[in-house]
Amino acid sequence: MSILINKDTKVIVQGITGRDGAFHTSKMKDYGTHVVGGISPGKGGSDVGGIPVFNTVEEAVKATGANASVIFVPAPFAGDAILEASYAGVELVICITEGVPVQDMIKVTPVLKKNGTKLIGANCPGLITPGECLIGILPGGIFTPGSIGFISRSGTLTYEVVNMLTEAGLGQTTCVGIGGDPVSGLYFMDLLEMFENDPATKAVVLIGEIGGDAEEKAASFIKEKMTKPVVAFIAGQSAPPGKRMGHAGAIISSGSGTAEEKIKAFAEAGVPVAKEPGEIPGLVKAKLGLK
Amino acid sequence: MKIHEYQARNLFRKYGIPVPDGVVCHTVEEVKEKVPNDDKLRVVKAQVHVGGRGKAGGVKLARSKEEAIEKAGQILGMDIKGLTVEKVLVAEAVDIEKEFYVGLINDRNSKSVTLMASAEGGVEIEEVAKTNPEKIIKLPIDPTMGLMDWQARKIALQLVNDPAQIRQVATILVKLYKLYVESDASLAEINPLVVTPDKRVLAIDGKMNFDDNALFRQPDVLAMREVTPDEQKEIDANEKGLSYIKLDGNIGCMVNGAGLAMATMDMIKLYGGEPANFLDIGGSSNPQKVVDAMNILLSDTNVKAVMINIFGGITRCDDVARGLVAALTTIQTDIPIVIRLSGTNAKEGLAIIKEFGLPTVSTMSEAAKKAIELSKKK
C-alpha cells in the first residue's frame, strides 16, 4: 500500500517537449512509471521517446485514461497549466515549476476544490512510491520500499534524509515533496491524514522549515488525530528574520514562522525533533521499537 | 520586494485612496524648494525599508516650514537599524478623531488574500495579534469574486458608524484590494487609516510588499525597487542562478538545494561555528555556477573556511566533483575548503576530489566539524 500513487498510476507530462520536461520524462520512464502521454500545444500527434504528444490535457486524458499530471511549464504559465489539468478531470496534479506567482496559486485554489483535484507543489520535487511509481525530479535510486511515510518542504534535504533512512534499513511507503512556496497544494496535515489511513505506513518523517505555521498545524493534528509515530526535523534554526531562504515560503516575518515555535509545537505534541538530520533514523527506530 | 511609504502613497493616490498632501525630499534644499511657506503642521518621516522609524527618531513633527527644514536636516543621513536615510517625506499632519488598521496579506492557511482590520490603529498589528487576537477582524477573500461591496461594508461597520464614513471606508477597502491584486502585492497595509474631526477618511501611513515571483509581469513595481549593497549582491547572485544571503559568521557555505543549505547553516551553528552565508547553487553540476558561487563566497572577507555540501541526486556526484575541480582550478585562494559529497556515485566523486588534493568527508556533520576546526586555525 501507499498514498496518492502506485503501480497503476497513469501519468501525463505538461511541457513534455521542454528541456526539463523531456529529461525527467525519460528518468520517470526508466524508473517504471507509466508515462502515458505528454502535452505541448501545437505539437500534438508527434512523440517524445515513443510517448504520444497531445495538444491539450483534455485530449490526453481521453486518449490515455491518465489520472495524474506533472507540470514542467515555465512559471508564468504554470497556474494555467494547473487549471487545465483540473478542468480535464485529472485527480492528482504535481507542479514542479519554481517561481509561480502567489496570486496565480490563490486563483487556482477554489477551482481545485470545486473539481476535486489534489495538487502537490508548486516548486516541489514531486513524489514517489518506491518500486512502483515516481513522479517529478526525485532521484529514484536512493528510495526503497518499506513502511515509512515521508513529507517534506525541501528537495535535497529529502534526498539527504531518505538516503540515511534507506541505509539504516528503513524503506518508505510514499515520499512527498510538498514544495517551498507560501501558498501550495496539499499541506502537511492533508498528507498526515493519508498516512494515518494507509495500513502499510508504520511511522512518518516530517521535514519542515521556517515560515508560515503549517508545522504548528501539523503538530496539533498529530496530537489530536494520529496514532502512528511521527519524527520531525525543522530547517532554518540559524536563519535571520526577514530574509527569504531560497524557498519563497521560507521566511520569518514579523517574528512568526521561527524554527523555535515549530520545534516547541512538535515537542508539545510528543513528536521528537531531530537536532540534525543524522539523528532521524535513530529516532524513527526508537519510536518503532527497532534496534 | 519592499517599497517606501511615499511610493505606497503614490499607488494609493493612483487608485483613489485619499492621502494627505506631501512631498519627498532628498536634501534640505529640496525641502526649502518644495514645502509651501506657511505654518501648517507637518510631519517629517524618514523613508527607509525598516519598521520602527518612529522609535528610532526618524519621524518628527514640524510646526512651520522653518521647522520642517530643520527636522529634515536632522533626519536625512541618520542611521536607522544600519540603513542610512536618504529621503524624507514631508506630509501634512491631520487631526485624528479615530484611527484603525486595515491590511491585506496572502494567507497560507486559507490560501487566499485575507483582509485584516482592527479598531486598534497606529500600533504594531503583530503586537495586537499576540496580545488581543480577538480585536483583529479577518476576512478571506474569494479570488473569483474579489472583495465584494457588502463584505467591505460589513468590515467598515465594525470600525465606524456614521453612514458617510461607512461608505468611505468600504470604498477604500475595495480600492486597496484592487491595487493589491493588480500589482501582485504580498502585503498592503494602511496603518493608521484615520477619521478626521471634519469627517474625512484618510490613509496616513502605508506599507506595501510585492511577490518577487511576479515581478516579471509588474514593470511599474520593479521600477520602484531600491536596494542596499547587500541586497544587490543577492540580486546579482540570483541572476546567475544562485540564491545567496549574507550572514555575519566566518564559515562560507555552498550547498545544492534550499532546505539542505538551511540545514547546513544550522549544523554549523549546532557545533559552535557561525555560518557566513546561505548559498544554494541549485541542481546542476555546471562548473561556471561553482566558480560564480566561490567568487561570491570569497568576496566576503569574514570567510575563514568554506564548506561545500552536495547531495547528488539526479546530478551524479562524479559529475559534480569534476565541476568542482574545474572551478577550483581557476580560483586562487588560501582559504581552506572542505568538500562533502553524498548520494548518487558518491564514491567516484570523492575519489576525484581526493586526487585533486582537497580534504573530503562523507557526512554533513563531519564536514561541519572540519570546517569549524579549519576556520579557527586561520
Side-chain angles (χ1 to χ4, degrees):
Chain A
M1 283 288 284
S2 56
I3 66 164
L4 294 164
I5 58 172
N6 57 34
K7 59 181 183 353
D8 300 321
T9 304
K10 288 183 185 169
V11 184
I12 50 174
V13 181
Q14 289 174 259
I16 193 168
T17 52
R19 193 196 57 189
D20 292 342
F23 176 75
H24 291 288
T25 297
S26 76
K27 292 275 167 196
M28 287 188 273
K29 243 183 103 183
D30 290 348
Y31 194 77
T33 303
H34 299 298
V35 183
V36 295
I39 292 88
S40 187
K43 292 181 187 164
S46 63
D47 77 280
V48 170
I51 298 167
V53 176
F54 301 88
N55 285 318
T56 65
V57 177
E58 194 183 359
E59 285 173 39
V61 169
K62 268 195 190 135
T64 64
N67 53 4
S69 179
V70 57
I71 294 172
F72 286 98
V73 308
F77 318 108
D80 185 60
I82 296 169
L83 292 173
E84 187 184 355
S86 176
Y87 279 109
V90 177
E91 291 158 34
L92 178 67
V93 179
I94 298 99
C95 185
I96 306 300
T97 311
E98 182 177 356
V100 184
V102 178
Q103 291 306 324
D104 294 1
M105 295 307 294
I106 286 175
K107 270 186 211 147
V108 308
T109 301
V111 175
L112 299 174
K113 204 169 173 184
K114 185 180 92 180
N115 295 339
T117 317
K118 292 190 186 83
L119 172 69
I120 295 175
N123 190 15
C124 79
L127 75 166
I128 180 170
T129 292
E132 298 190 27
C133 182
L134 180 163
I135 305 179
I137 60 174
L138 302 146
I142 57 171
F143 299 85
T144 193
S147 60
I148 309 298
F150 195 101
I151 324 168
S152 170
R153 277 170 71 182
S154 144
T156 41
L157 191 51
T158 296
Y159 314 157
E160 178 81 42
V161 177
V162 164
N163 194 49
M164 291 173 182
L165 291 173
T166 296
E167 281 177 358
L170 296 164
Q172 307 90 39
T173 47
T174 303
C175 300
V176 188
I178 60 172
D181 280 353
V183 173
S184 50
L186 297 180
Y187 279 179
F188 286 131
M189 247 169 55
D190 308 307
L191 293 157
L192 285 170
E193 192 173 5
M194 292 180 201
F195 280 126
E196 173 70 11
N197 295 329
D198 171 40
T201 301
K202 301 280 180 257
V204 180
V205 172
L206 183 157
I207 308 286
E209 64 190 28
I210 54 162
D213 63 355
E215 290 81 2
E216 285 88 334
K217 293 261 187 297
S220 56
F221 178 83
I222 293 165
K223 199 173 169 183
E224 285 158 26
K225 303 268 171 67
M226 276 193 80
T227 58
K228 294 176 185 176
V230 180
V231 169
F233 175 77
I234 305 293
Q237 298 185 46
S238 60
K243 289 283 184 185
R244 219 165 278 285
M245 306 306 282
H247 290 154
I251 180 167
I252 299 168
S253 41
S254 314
S256 75
T258 64
E260 289 71 38
E261 291 170 338
K262 295 170 191 300
I263 291 168
K264 195 174 149 227
F266 280 125
E268 282 168 9
V271 174
V273 181
K275 283 202 278 298
E276 56 168 287
E279 288 182 4
I280 294 171
L283 291 173
V284 173
K285 283 188 173 176
K287 278 280 178 189
L288 291 175
L290 302 169
K291 275 200 180 161
Chain B
M1 190 197 116
K2 293 175 180 170
I3 60 171
H4 291 299
E5 175 194 4
Y6 79 89
Q7 293 167 319
R9 278 168 46 106
N10 290 344
L11 288 172
F12 290 171
R13 270 236 158 104
K14 195 174 149 196
Y15 276 78
I17 298 169
V19 295
D21 285 334
V23 288
V24 184
C25 304
H26 296 72
T27 60
V28 171
E29 283 64 44
E30 233 182 308
V31 181
K32 285 179 191 164
E33 242 169 68
K34 287 185 176 170
V35 175
N37 201 357
D38 57 31
D39 284 340
K40 272 191 186 167
L41 187 64
R42 293 193 168 81
V43 56
V44 185
K45 302 163 101 175
Q47 300 295 292
V48 278
H49 287 162
V50 286
R53 292 173 302 173
K55 276 182 205 152
V59 179
K60 292 184 195 296
L61 275 174
R63 280 170 198 82
S64 63
K65 176 169 182 167
E66 286 318 305
E67 255 190 56
I69 294 166
E70 184 195 327
K71 301 287 158 80
Q74 292 167 7
I75 296 172
L76 284 165
M78 179 188 256
D79 179 286
I80 299 180
K81 296 181 184 169
L83 297 176
T84 308
V85 180
E86 288 168 350
K87 284 179 249 191
V88 289
L89 169 68
V90 184
E92 281 181 19
V94 292
D95 287 327
I96 296 172
E97 196 176 82
K98 282 185 207 153
E99 53 183 343
F100 321 105
Y101 168 93
V102 298
L104 292 163
I105 53 154
N106 291 330
D107 181 57
R108 298 178 187 223
N109 290 310
S110 61
K111 303 181 191 182
S112 69
V113 176
T114 296
L115 174 64
M116 298 199 296
S118 175
E120 309 269 308
V123 294
E124 293 258 329
I125 195 67
E126 293 83 12
E127 272 310 303
V128 183
K130 271 181 196 149
T131 51
N132 291 310
E134 74 287 349
K135 288 196 173 156
I136 298 176
I137 309 156
K138 278 191 182 182
L139 174 76
I141 300 165
D142 179 345
T144 51
M145 293 307 295
L147 180 62
M148 292 172 262
D149 289 339
W150 69 267
Q151 291 177 309
R153 273 200 310 277
K154 196 175 155 188
I155 301 285
L157 274 161
Q158 296 178 68
L159 303 175
V160 287
N161 35 40
D162 174 81
Q165 284 168 26
I166 292 166
R167 270 198 306 277
Q168 286 181 68
V169 171
T171 308
I172 288 171
L173 294 178
V174 170
K175 285 173 175 170
L176 188 66
Y177 176 76
K178 188 168 153 58
L179 162 62
Y180 186 93
V181 173
E182 287 180 355
S183 62
D184 274 301
S186 55
L187 173 82
E189 281 183 345
I190 302 176
N191 191 21
L193 179 69
V194 307
V195 180
T196 62
D198 56 348
K199 308 300 175 202
R200 288 179 301 151
V201 180
L202 290 170
I204 298 296
D205 197 344
K207 183 178 175 186
M208 285 192 79
N209 294 345
F210 300 89
D211 178 7
D212 293 332
N213 283 352
L215 291 177
F216 72 88
R217 63 185 179 197
Q218 297 291 347
D220 295 346
V221 171
L222 192 57
M224 289 189 283
R225 179 156 79 181
E226 279 174 29
V227 291
T228 62
D230 276 355
E231 285 166 343
Q232 190 56 50
K233 230 170 143 180
E234 293 167 17
I235 292 166
D236 292 344
N238 229 301
E239 278 160 9
K240 295 189 171 97
L242 308 165
S243 180
Y244 172 79
I245 290 161
K246 193 189 169 319
L247 303 169
D248 297 327
N250 60 5
I251 298 174
C253 314
M254 187 196 301
V255 189
N256 64 336
L260 191 59
M262 271 189 271
T264 303
M265 291 165 34
D266 294 348
M267 189 170 274
I268 289 171
K269 201 145 188 170
L270 182 68
Y271 291 138
E274 286 292 335
N277 64 279
F278 167 93
L279 176 58
D280 169 13
I281 60 167
S284 89
S285 59
N286 182 350
Q288 190 53 44
K289 260 195 180 175
V290 181
V291 173
D292 290 338
M294 275 309 277
N295 285 332
I296 291 171
L297 282 189
L298 298 175
S299 73
D300 178 354
T301 50
N302 289 335
V303 169
K304 297 284 177 274
V306 171
M307 168 175 171
I308 300 179
N309 184 16
I310 305 288
F311 191 92
I314 293 284
T315 351
R316 292 162 19 203
C317 284
D318 46 342
D319 281 344
V320 176
R322 274 185 280 272
L324 285 173
V325 167
L328 297 175
T329 320
T330 69
I331 289 167
Q332 300 298 321
T333 178
D334 51 0
I335 305 277
I337 300 170
V338 180
I339 299 177
R340 179 267 180 161
L341 292 174
S342 183
T344 317
N345 288 18
K347 232 187 197 167
E348 294 84 342
L350 289 169
I352 292 168
I353 300 289
K354 215 168 181 178
E355 201 188 303
F356 182 64
L358 281 174
T360 60
V361 288
S362 59
T363 71
M364 254 172 96
S365 47
E366 270 178 77
K369 283 175 193 161
K370 183 92 187 156
I372 292 166
E373 186 193 314
L374 290 168
S375 74
K376 285 179 179 157
K377 269 190 196 158
K378 281 285 288 185

